[in-house]
Amino acid sequence: MQKLIGANEEDDEEEIEMDVKEEDNENGQKHISAQMMLGADGVMPSTSHQFQIQQQLQEQVSTPGGGARRSRPLEEKERTKLRERHRRALTARILAGLRKHGNYNLRVRADINDVIAALAREAGWVVLPDGTTFPSRSQGSRPAGDSSAGLTSSSSEMLSQQAPPTSLQGVSSGYCALVEYNACHMKGVFMPTPAPYDLSSSGHSQSSGMVGNGGEQTESLPLIAGSMEVINDKQLGVVNMKCELVDPDGLLKQLRVLKSINVDGVMIDCWWGIVEAHAPQEYNWNGYRKLFQMVHELKLKLQVVMSFHECGGNVGDDVCIPLPHWVAEIGRSNPDIFFTDREGRRNTECLSWGIDKERVLRGRTAVEVYFDFMRSFRVEFNEFFEDGIISMVEVGLGPCGELRYPSCPVKHGWRYPGIGEFQCYDQYMLKSLRKAAEMRGHSFWARGPDNAGSYSSHPHETGFFCDEGDYDGYYGRFFLNWYSQLLINHGDLVLSLAKLAFEGSCIAAKLPGIHWWYKTSSHAAELTAGFYNPCNRDGYIAIAAMLHKHGAALNFACAELQFLEQLEDLQEALANPQGLVWQVLNAAWEACITVVSENAFVCHDRVGYNKILENVKPVNDPDGRHFSSFTYLRLTPLLMERQNFMEFERFVKRMHGEAVLYLQV
């Protein structure tokens, strides 16, 4: 046995099996034939193996009675077992080394695919959950900050130090990158410049009472600049996947630059998949604590997002921050914890609303998991709340942190301006649908629409969303009411717990701006996302009422949507950004909730800044209504160039209500 264990590795690579049997030759005499299987690489065994086989054959031929052993020798079976144990031990040591010394965030039972994906991301490639791999934008040589550039820095936010304590400001959890000056270290940073239809670019929240009357000369409006990003593994950023603060000296310089032009504060995502990565209720806040202390010492304000979603796989996603490993382990045995489409494809961006009250997460419900996370954050950073450093907490309510269904996943084939698909086919959602149908007295309605098309369909191509389609029939109204109410119930439940966890602090929620197909009767893209807003019904009033119930601000990205209508792709999609903006804003203002905004595109010129100011601080609004704060997207090295930085500084002053001369540059 020791001899077999000590065999060289080349011998271990061969897989040899023999099948020895007796056959009658033409003379009726018996002879023994042996069949030998090739190795996994298709190569014949080595000479030494051939000699061993011949020796075994001779021993079998000389066996009294001519009998033949039909199975592999026992020693060879033992050898195979030992070889597999040896390989597994090697794999375990490799994975342990990568986790310990390389900051690779590998699950406990990682396989070779996980290792390859981690190495590919380390090399600057993007690896989607389905295995699709392609070069990251950050490998390009185009200037950072360009919509197609690889180096992306995220949005920045400023909170006015003169603003009342109730002032809120937020940045979409999709924008997680900090200001970066060294492009060569940035590999796969999440969130480049969003397209007009990029769902992850919508809404950031900030709330306060109405400040001033909208007059530019008298009003100081909070402005945010400098949102921080969590970066994968060894990439330069703020907090890495081990929740460690990266490059604190460089970060301090960046924050001082923001402070020098009187920005009010910064914003950071606290990722569930990083903080509670490996085991339930084991939280690691180390990197965030060091960051918050640095912000506090510079006398800046801070906003945080409770990011309960996955980063990766959608428009603009260049990095992957998955859900916690222990949640993924549960999902492997019970995939119904994730949203599911009609074809049975699972979406791991976030957890299904169906398990909000189901104890399937190691004895806890989904909302209990969210509450425990938020409570841990509140306890860990109590002094920052007490000192007023943390001015707002935005609560993630779905994919990209937005209150919506993941109806438009790029990884499942969605392309703009597709209508998306309903996400209600996991067993828990179907259970809820069956219960609702039975209560209505029509148990046969316990199904999703079978004529709603696919992700990239157009409304007129379907029987459900076309003009006078089934969406407006008895069954369609029942289904859409159930589907949208489940979304509202989810937001209501999570925000009620957030209000309890962050008692006395401002909270906010984020909505997307789904404006394509708005000019059609069904508003199909909104329906699949959970907003029951066809042309004959206002689907945002109930959402605004729910936010008002919890005193939450509405985070809605719309500062520039009114100027998009001239774009050809929006015209073809029968989009109406302006109509959507006015509908959502009116619903919010009627409910007396605070609204904040952000720019949807990179802006470095005076014309763009003036458009933002015109929308955020309208001078001629008859009711004196305006946004309570604004989020600037995004602070990049391109913005820090002299010409651009001068324009940005001027914009900050105007946002704060200062009169600025139009100097000729």
Side-chain angles (χ1 to χ4, degrees):
M1 184 64 67
Q2 294 176 353
K3 181 178 179 180
L4 291 173
I5 296 174
N8 59 39
E9 188 63 21
E10 292 182 358
D11 292 341
D12 286 345
E13 291 299 325
E14 306 294 341
E15 178 70 18
I16 302 173
E17 294 185 5
M18 293 182 56
D19 185 14
V20 183
K21 59 183 180 180
E22 295 182 355
E23 295 180 356
D24 294 336
N25 59 18
E26 296 178 356
N27 299 326
Q29 297 177 345
K30 295 183 180 293
H31 73 278
I32 297 175
S33 65
Q35 296 177 350
M36 186 166 53
M37 297 184 64
L38 298 177
D41 56 357
V43 180
M44 288 293 292
S46 63
T47 305
S48 60
H49 280 141
Q50 295 180 19
F51 174 78
Q52 293 174 7
I53 294 168
Q54 292 175 359
Q55 187 177 25
Q56 292 171 4
L57 289 174
Q58 291 175 0
E59 292 174 356
Q60 292 186 22
V61 171
S62 61
T63 300
R69 289 178 293 179
R70 306 181 63 86
S71 61
R72 293 186 300 172
L74 180 61
E75 293 83 0
E76 188 174 347
K77 291 183 179 179
E78 291 297 328
R79 173 183 168 183
T80 301
K81 292 180 181 179
L82 291 171
R83 180 186 61 197
E84 290 304 318
R85 291 173 187 168
H86 177 64
R87 288 178 174 173
R88 289 176 184 175
L90 286 176
T91 301
R93 285 193 287 270
I94 291 172
L95 296 177
L98 289 173
R99 292 191 191 99
K100 182 177 180 180
H101 304 293
N103 289 342
Y104 289 94
N105 198 11
L106 299 171
R107 58 191 176 92
V108 176
R109 297 182 179 178
D111 57 20
I112 191 62
N113 291 334
D114 298 315
V115 177
I116 293 174
L119 293 175
R121 294 189 183 106
E122 170 67 14
W125 290 68
V126 178
V127 181
L128 299 184
D130 65 352
T132 303
T133 304
F134 52 88
S136 169
R137 300 171 201 239
S138 61
Q139 293 176 325
S141 59
R142 287 165 290 195
D146 181 79
S147 62
S148 58
L151 171 62
T152 59
S153 301
S154 71
S155 64
S156 302
E157 297 189 315
M158 294 187 263
L159 274 166
S160 175
Q161 296 176 353
Q162 296 83 19
T166 57
S167 176
L168 296 183
Q169 285 157 328
V171 175
S172 164
S173 59
Y175 305 100
C176 37
L178 172 67
V179 186
E180 294 297 344
Y181 297 106
N182 192 347
C184 66
H185 287 92
M186 299 290 288
K187 291 182 278 188
V189 178
F190 175 51
M191 204 57 229
T193 304
Y197 50 86
D198 185 355
L199 292 179
S200 63
S201 68
S202 52
H204 299 316
S205 66
Q206 177 170 11
S207 163
S208 72
M210 294 300 177
V211 183
N213 58 6
E216 181 180 326
Q217 302 300 322
T218 60
E219 175 190 354
S220 176
L221 192 63
L223 174 68
I224 301 212
S227 156
M228 320 263 168
E229 182 168 51
V230 177
I231 314 254
N232 254 0
D233 302 332
K234 292 185 177 180
Q235 297 165 3
L236 182 63
V238 177
V239 180
N240 64 17
M241 293 297 292
K242 294 181 70 176
C243 204
E244 299 171 336
L245 191 61
V246 180
D247 189 24
D249 293 336
L251 175 60
L252 184 59
K253 292 178 182 178
Q254 296 163 3
L255 293 175
R256 284 174 175 167
V257 170
L258 295 178
K259 181 67 175 179
S260 70
I261 59 172
N262 295 321
V263 302
D264 303 293
V266 293
M267 184 276 166
I268 184 72
D269 290 80
C270 294
W271 291 94
W272 180 33
I274 292 178
V275 176
E276 196 182 358
H278 301 292
Q281 295 181 285
E282 291 185 7
Y283 307 103
N284 179 9
W285 299 103
N286 294 339
Y288 291 108
R289 171 163 287 280
K290 294 178 181 178
L291 170 63
F292 292 1
Q293 187 62 41
M294 189 179 298
V295 172
H296 178 35
E297 291 174 357
L298 289 173
K299 302 185 185 305
L300 292 169
K301 296 290 184 179
L302 185 66
Q303 297 180 2
V304 293
V305 176
M306 301 286 101
S307 296
F308 296 113
H309 62 282
E310 173 190 75
C311 171
N314 275 320
V315 176
D317 291 3
D318 273 1
V319 78
C320 181
I321 302 175
L323 297 184
H325 295 321
W326 61 273
V327 174
E329 290 288 342
I330 296 173
R332 273 184 273 276
S333 59
N334 181 15
D336 286 290
I337 67 174
F338 301 121
F339 283 108
T340 308
D341 63 18
R342 187 174 183 83
E343 299 298 323
R345 288 167 292 200
R346 312 289 184 172
N347 192 318
T348 59
E349 291 183 68
C350 59
L351 299 179
S352 167
W353 317 151
I355 64 168
D356 278 354
K357 298 182 180 180
E358 298 285 344
R359 297 190 177 278
V360 295
L361 300 176
R362 305 280 178 86
R364 292 186 294 168
T365 67
V367 293
E368 287 174 343
V369 170
Y370 304 147
F371 176 69
D372 290 341
F373 183 88
M374 293 186 288
R375 181 174 56 183
S376 172
F377 177 83
R378 180 64 176 82
V379 172
E380 179 73 21
F381 300 108
N382 179 65
E383 68 271 25
F384 295 97
F385 282 95
E386 295 294 334
D387 295 341
I389 304 302
I390 298 177
S391 57
M392 186 276 294
V393 179
E394 183 181 294
V395 183
L397 297 175
C400 300
E402 299 166 340
L403 180 62
R404 65 174 175 87
Y405 288 91
S407 57
C408 300
V410 174
K411 58 187 174 183
H412 289 167
W414 175 82
R415 295 295 181 270
Y416 175 82
I419 58 177
E421 289 192 20
F422 293 111
Q423 307 290 313
C424 60
Y425 294 94
D426 62 81
Q427 63 166 313
Y428 303 104
M429 294 279 283
L430 290 176
K431 176 183 175 181
S432 173
L433 180 58
R434 283 194 298 270
K435 183 178 179 180
E438 290 171 358
M439 291 181 63
R440 181 70 180 269
H442 302 294
S443 57
F444 57 91
W445 280 357
R447 58 178 176 82
D450 55 8
N451 58 348
S454 59
Y455 286 111
S456 295
S457 296
H458 292 185
H460 63 272
E461 299 171 347
T462 72
F464 192 81
F465 297 113
C466 65
D467 292 343
E468 300 182 359
D470 293 345
Y471 79 92
D472 203 29
Y474 289 111
Y475 160 74
R477 293 181 182 183
F478 158 77
F479 174 81
L480 292 172
N481 184 70
W482 166 81
Y483 189 71
S484 62
Q485 190 60 48
L486 216 59
L487 175 76
I488 296 174
N489 291 345
H490 169 73
D492 183 37
L493 187 56
V494 176
L495 287 178
S496 66
L497 295 177
K499 186 177 180 180
L500 179 62
F502 303 117
E503 184 178 3
S505 301
C506 301
I507 60 175
K510 180 171 54 174
L511 286 184
I514 304 179
H515 48 71
W516 54 101
W517 306 120
Y518 190 89
K519 292 182 179 179
T520 63
S521 59
S522 63
H523 293 215
E526 292 171 88
L527 296 185
T528 58
F531 304 112
Y532 191 6
N533 189 53
C535 62
N536 57 356
R537 187 181 189 275
D538 193 327
Y540 295 100
I541 291 179
I543 294 175
M546 183 268 293
L547 295 178
H548 174 73
K549 172 183 175 182
H550 302 292
L554 170 62
N555 179 356
F556 187 58
C558 58
E560 298 164 311
L561 290 183
Q562 293 95 325
F563 300 98
L564 299 179
E565 305 226 5
Q566 68 274 20
L567 299 181
E568 183 177 353
D569 60 341
L570 294 181
Q571 294 176 358
E572 294 178 354
L574 296 178
N576 185 6
Q578 186 173 6
L580 174 66
V581 168
W582 279 111
Q583 182 181 3
V584 174
L585 292 184
N586 285 329
W589 283 324
E590 287 294 328
C592 298
I593 62 176
T594 303
V595 183
V596 298
S597 186
E598 66 184 18
N599 56 305
F601 307 102
V602 170
C603 177
H604 297 133
D605 61 273
R606 186 170 300 182
V607 174
Y609 288 138
N610 288 342
K611 289 181 179 179
I612 293 173
L613 287 162
E614 179 183 341
N615 285 278
V616 174
K617 302 172 65 175
V619 178
N620 299 319
D621 187 281
D623 299 315
R625 300 178 302 188
H626 57 80
F627 298 103
S628 297
S629 63
F630 177 77
T631 298
Y632 177 80
L633 306 178
R634 60 191 43 81
L635 190 57
T636 65
L638 183 60
L639 178 66
M640 304 307 294
E641 294 180 1
R642 183 175 182 275
Q643 172 75 26
N644 295 335
F645 191 75
M646 289 176 62
E647 285 294 337
F648 178 69
E649 184 177 11
R650 177 185 176 279
F651 171 66
V652 172
K653 291 181 178 180
R654 293 190 65 194
M655 186 63 70
H656 284 161
E658 298 181 28
V660 180
L661 296 177
Y662 283 78
L663 300 177
Q664 184 68 31
V665 180

